[in-house]
Amino acid sequence: MSRLLVVDDDLQLLRALRINLRARRYEVDLAEDGSAALATARRHPPDLVILDLGLPDMDGVEVVHALRGLCTAPIVVLSARTAEPEKVAALDAGADDYVTKPFGMDELLARIRSALRRATPGEAVPIRTDAFTIDLAGRRLTTAEGDVRLTPTEWHLLEILVRNHDKLVTQRELLREVWGPAYETETNYLRVYIAQLRRKLEPDPARPRHLLTAPGMGYRFQP
C-alpha cells in the first residue's frame, strides 16, 4: 500500500482527496502548509507527494526544493497557477508532474498511478541501440555526443514506449497516460512530441528506425 502526502490549505479539498485516495487503498497523510508537509515527510517518508503551490507559509517551489532534500518520492503539483513560467519553475525544482485546478479525479488518479509506476524500482536495464542508450532507472539518455536532455513529458512518453518495446501502443493509451483522459482525442500532441523525440534520438528523423508510427493507430518503439 503506497503512502501519499497531500499538501493543500483548502480543507474541503483535503477531505475530498483523502476520501477518494483511501477508497483506492492508499495510505494518506495530510498537511495544510509547507512546514507541516516537511515535518510529515521526515516522520513518515511518502511514496508520492501531491502539492499545491499556493501555501500560506512557504512558496510551493521552495517546498519542492526542500522535499527533494528529504526524499526521492515523485511530486505531483496540483495548482491553480496556470502561467508557464510557474509550471517550469516547479518542474525545474524537482516536481515530476503538474496538474492544473480545476481537475478531474480520474485524471489525477491516473497521474498518481503513472508517477508511482515510474518511481518503482524495476528490472529495467539500459536499452542500447546503435545510436543511443536509454537508462530508465537513471532517467538518462545518451548518444555518441553525450547526454541528451528531455522534458518531463518527453520522458513520460518515451518511457511508456520503451517499456512496451516491440508492441503497438495506441494513440488513446498514450494520450490518456501522459496527458489524462480529457486529452484522448488530441492526437496532434503526439505528433508534436514524437517529432521532438525523433529529432533528439534518431540519426535520420525523417526515416526513423526506432520510434515507429502505425498510421491512425499508434506508435511502437523498436530497439
Side-chain angles (χ1 to χ4, degrees), residues 6-20:
V6 184
V7 189
D8 201 302
D9 63 345
D10 184 334
L11 297 182
Q12 184 175 354
L13 178 59
L14 280 181
R15 286 192 290 268
L17 287 174
R18 179 173 58 188
I19 291 169
N20 277 278

Side-chain angles (χ1 to χ4, degrees), residues 48-51 53 64 68 73-79 87 90-92 94-100 107-116 118 139 152-153 156 176-180:
L48 180 140
V49 179
I50 301 171
L51 172 69
L53 294 183
V64 173
R68 277 289 159 257
I75 300 173
V76 177
V77 169
L78 192 62
S79 178
K87 294 181 180 181
L91 294 168
D92 283 345
D96 296 88
D97 201 353
Y98 197 108
V99 180
T100 303
E107 177 183 353
L108 177 61
L109 291 169
R111 289 178 183 268
I112 290 170
R113 292 192 298 269
S114 177
L116 288 171
R118 296 198 303 274
R139 293 180 68 82
T153 300
H156 195 175
R176 172 181 284 270
E177 186 70 22
V178 178
W179 285 277

